[in-house]
PDB file of all heavy atoms in Angstrom:
ATOM      1  N   ARG R  77      -0.675  31.994  25.407  1.00  0.00           N
ATOM      2  CA  ARG R  77       0.301  31.122  26.048  1.00  0.00           C
ATOM      3  C   ARG R  77      -0.317  30.320  27.191  1.00  0.00           C
ATOM      4  O   ARG R  77      -0.047  29.132  27.341  1.00  0.00           O
ATOM      5  CB  ARG R  77       1.484  31.953  26.558  1.00  0.00           C
ATOM      6  CG  ARG R  77       2.529  31.122  27.253  1.00  0.00           C
ATOM      7  CD  ARG R  77       3.664  31.965  27.794  1.00  0.00           C
ATOM      8  NE  ARG R  77       4.640  31.098  28.431  1.00  0.00           N
ATOM      9  CZ  ARG R  77       5.927  31.139  28.213  1.00  0.00           C
ATOM     10  NH1 ARG R  77       6.436  32.037  27.378  1.00  0.00           N
ATOM     11  NH2 ARG R  77       6.741  30.312  28.831  1.00  0.00           N
ATOM     12  N   LYS R  78      -1.129  30.985  28.028  1.00  0.00           N
ATOM     13  CA  LYS R  78      -1.733  30.294  29.171  1.00  0.00           C
ATOM     14  C   LYS R  78      -2.587  29.113  28.728  1.00  0.00           C
ATOM     15  O   LYS R  78      -2.610  28.082  29.389  1.00  0.00           O
ATOM     16  CB  LYS R  78      -2.571  31.263  30.005  1.00  0.00           C
ATOM     17  CG  LYS R  78      -1.751  32.150  30.884  1.00  0.00           C
ATOM     18  CD  LYS R  78      -2.633  32.951  31.818  1.00  0.00           C
ATOM     19  CE  LYS R  78      -1.754  33.732  32.778  1.00  0.00           C
ATOM     20  NZ  LYS R  78      -2.537  34.354  33.842  1.00  0.00           N
ATOM     21  N   ALA R  79      -3.275  29.253  27.615  1.00  0.00           N
ATOM     22  CA  ALA R  79      -4.120  28.158  27.110  1.00  0.00           C
ATOM     23  C   ALA R  79      -3.268  26.942  26.746  1.00  0.00           C
ATOM     24  O   ALA R  79      -3.631  25.803  27.055  1.00  0.00           O
ATOM     25  CB  ALA R  79      -4.941  28.625  25.911  1.00  0.00           C
ATOM     26  N   ILE R  80      -2.138  27.169  26.094  1.00  0.00           N
ATOM     27  CA  ILE R  80      -1.268  26.047  25.707  1.00  0.00           C
ATOM     28  C   ILE R  80      -0.544  25.482  26.926  1.00  0.00           C
ATOM     29  O   ILE R  80      -0.371  24.266  27.036  1.00  0.00           O
ATOM     30  CB  ILE R  80      -0.284  26.469  24.597  1.00  0.00           C
ATOM     31  CG1 ILE R  80      -1.052  26.851  23.330  1.00  0.00           C
ATOM     32  CG2 ILE R  80       0.727  25.359  24.311  1.00  0.00           C
ATOM     33  CD1 ILE R  80      -1.972  25.762  22.775  1.00  0.00           C
ATOM     34  N   GLU R  81      -0.128  26.334  27.853  1.00  0.00           N
ATOM     35  CA  GLU R  81       0.469  25.823  29.094  1.00  0.00           C
ATOM     36  C   GLU R  81      -0.514  24.896  29.815  1.00  0.00           C
ATOM     37  O   GLU R  81      -0.150  23.811  30.263  1.00  0.00           O
ATOM     38  CB  GLU R  81       0.887  26.973  30.009  1.00  0.00           C
ATOM     39  CG  GLU R  81       2.120  27.703  29.521  1.00  0.00           C
ATOM     40  CD  GLU R  81       2.443  28.940  30.343  1.00  0.00           C
ATOM     41  OE1 GLU R  81       1.519  29.535  30.961  1.00  0.00           O
ATOM     42  OE2 GLU R  81       3.616  29.331  30.372  1.00  0.00           O
ATOM     43  N   SER R  82      -1.769  25.330  29.904  1.00  0.00           N
ATOM     44  CA  SER R  82      -2.802  24.527  30.562  1.00  0.00           C
ATOM     45  C   SER R  82      -3.070  23.235  29.801  1.00  0.00           C
ATOM     46  O   SER R  82      -3.170  22.157  30.399  1.00  0.00           O
ATOM     47  CB  SER R  82      -4.084  25.352  30.687  1.00  0.00           C
ATOM     48  OG  SER R  82      -5.125  24.577  31.215  1.00  0.00           O
ATOM     49  N   ASP R  83      -3.165  23.337  28.491  1.00  0.00           N
ATOM     50  CA  ASP R  83      -3.420  22.161  27.657  1.00  0.00           C
ATOM     51  C   ASP R  83      -2.285  21.144  27.800  1.00  0.00           C
ATOM     52  O   ASP R  83      -2.528  19.942  27.931  1.00  0.00           O
ATOM     53  CB  ASP R  83      -3.569  22.577  26.187  1.00  0.00           C
ATOM     54  CG  ASP R  83      -3.908  21.407  25.294  1.00  0.00           C
ATOM     55  OD1 ASP R  83      -5.100  21.045  25.212  1.00  0.00           O
ATOM     56  OD2 ASP R  83      -2.971  20.838  24.687  1.00  0.00           O
ATOM     57  N   THR R  84      -1.063  21.641  27.809  1.00  0.00           N
ATOM     58  CA  THR R  84       0.100  20.760  27.921  1.00  0.00           C
ATOM     59  C   THR R  84       0.123  20.066  29.280  1.00  0.00           C
ATOM     60  O   THR R  84       0.312  18.844  29.357  1.00  0.00           O
ATOM     61  CB  THR R  84       1.403  21.555  27.687  1.00  0.00           C
ATOM     62  OG1 THR R  84       1.317  22.194  26.410  1.00  0.00           O
ATOM     63  CG2 THR R  84       2.624  20.651  27.729  1.00  0.00           C
ATOM     64  N   ARG R  85      -0.089  20.826  30.357  1.00  0.00           N
ATOM     65  CA  ARG R  85      -0.131  20.220  31.701  1.00  0.00           C
ATOM     66  C   ARG R  85      -1.241  19.181  31.794  1.00  0.00           C
ATOM     67  O   ARG R  85      -1.029  18.084  32.322  1.00  0.00           O
ATOM     68  CB  ARG R  85      -0.344  21.298  32.773  1.00  0.00           C
ATOM     69  CG  ARG R  85       0.909  22.032  33.176  1.00  0.00           C
ATOM     70  CD  ARG R  85       0.692  22.870  34.418  1.00  0.00           C
ATOM     71  NE  ARG R  85      -0.447  23.769  34.328  1.00  0.00           N
ATOM     72  CZ  ARG R  85      -0.413  24.986  33.810  1.00  0.00           C
ATOM     73  NH1 ARG R  85       0.714  25.473  33.321  1.00  0.00           N
ATOM     74  NH2 ARG R  85      -1.493  25.743  33.788  1.00  0.00           N
ATOM     75  N   ARG R  86      -2.398  19.516  31.274  1.00  0.00           N
ATOM     76  CA  ARG R  86      -3.542  18.583  31.321  1.00  0.00           C
ATOM     77  C   ARG R  86      -3.233  17.305  30.540  1.00  0.00           C
ATOM     78  O   ARG R  86      -3.513  16.198  30.990  1.00  0.00           O
ATOM     79  CB  ARG R  86      -4.782  19.276  30.764  1.00  0.00           C
ATOM     80  CG  ARG R  86      -6.045  18.534  30.984  1.00  0.00           C
ATOM     81  CD  ARG R  86      -7.228  19.388  30.597  1.00  0.00           C
ATOM     82  NE  ARG R  86      -8.447  18.599  30.728  1.00  0.00           N
ATOM     83  CZ  ARG R  86      -9.593  18.931  30.185  1.00  0.00           C
ATOM     84  NH1 ARG R  86      -9.707  20.052  29.494  1.00  0.00           N
ATOM     85  NH2 ARG R  86     -10.638  18.158  30.341  1.00  0.00           N
ATOM     86  N   ALA R  87      -2.650  17.457  29.358  1.00  0.00           N
ATOM     87  CA  ALA R  87      -2.301  16.286  28.539  1.00  0.00           C
ATOM     88  C   ALA R  87      -1.272  15.417  29.240  1.00  0.00           C
ATOM     89  O   ALA R  87      -1.420  14.188  29.299  1.00  0.00           O
ATOM     90  CB  ALA R  87      -1.775  16.741  27.181  1.00  0.00           C
ATOM     91  N   LEU R  88      -0.235  16.033  29.799  1.00  0.00           N
ATOM     92  CA  LEU R  88       0.808  15.268  30.477  1.00  0.00           C
ATOM     93  C   LEU R  88       0.265  14.564  31.720  1.00  0.00           C
ATOM     94  O   LEU R  88       0.641  13.424  32.011  1.00  0.00           O
ATOM     95  CB  LEU R  88       1.994  16.169  30.826  1.00  0.00           C
ATOM     96  CG  LEU R  88       2.796  16.676  29.619  1.00  0.00           C
ATOM     97  CD1 LEU R  88       3.809  17.728  30.046  1.00  0.00           C
ATOM     98  CD2 LEU R  88       3.456  15.530  28.879  1.00  0.00           C
ATOM     99  N   THR R  89      -0.643  15.222  32.428  1.00  0.00           N
ATOM    100  CA  THR R  89      -1.267  14.605  33.602  1.00  0.00           C
ATOM    101  C   THR R  89      -2.109  13.409  33.185  1.00  0.00           C
ATOM    102  O   THR R  89      -2.049  12.343  33.815  1.00  0.00           O
ATOM    103  CB  THR R  89      -2.130  15.640  34.350  1.00  0.00           C
ATOM    104  OG1 THR R  89      -1.274  16.692  34.812  1.00  0.00           O
ATOM    105  CG2 THR R  89      -2.855  15.014  35.525  1.00  0.00           C
ATOM    106  N   THR R  90      -2.867  13.559  32.121  1.00  0.00           N
ATOM    107  CA  THR R  90      -3.696  12.458  31.619  1.00  0.00           C
ATOM    108  C   THR R  90      -2.825  11.279  31.206  1.00  0.00           C
ATOM    109  O   THR R  90      -3.107  10.131  31.554  1.00  0.00           O
ATOM    110  CB  THR R  90      -4.571  12.921  30.432  1.00  0.00           C
ATOM    111  OG1 THR R  90      -5.436  13.972  30.890  1.00  0.00           O
ATOM    112  CG2 THR R  90      -5.388  11.789  29.856  1.00  0.00           C
ATOM    113  N   LEU R  91      -1.765  11.541  30.467  1.00  0.00           N
ATOM    114  CA  LEU R  91      -0.878  10.461  30.019  1.00  0.00           C
ATOM    115  C   LEU R  91      -0.148   9.823  31.199  1.00  0.00           C
ATOM    116  O   LEU R  91       0.085   8.607  31.200  1.00  0.00           O
ATOM    117  CB  LEU R  91       0.093  10.972  28.959  1.00  0.00           C
ATOM    118  CG  LEU R  91      -0.568  11.390  27.643  1.00  0.00           C
ATOM    119  CD1 LEU R  91       0.466  11.973  26.683  1.00  0.00           C
ATOM    120  CD2 LEU R  91      -1.326  10.244  26.999  1.00  0.00           C
ATOM    121  N   ALA R  92       0.176  10.614  32.216  1.00  0.00           N
ATOM    122  CA  ALA R  92       0.844  10.067  33.409  1.00  0.00           C
ATOM    123  C   ALA R  92      -0.053   9.047  34.113  1.00  0.00           C
ATOM    124  O   ALA R  92       0.447   8.091  34.719  1.00  0.00           O
ATOM    125  CB  ALA R  92       1.225  11.197  34.366  1.00  0.00           C
TER     126      ALA R  92
END
Side-chain angles (χ1 to χ4, degrees):
R77 179 182 181 131
K78 283 188 175 189
I80 297 303
E81 287 173 334
S82 175
D83 183 83
T84 304
R85 279 192 307 274
R86 191 171 176 196
L88 292 171
T89 298
T90 299
L91 294 176

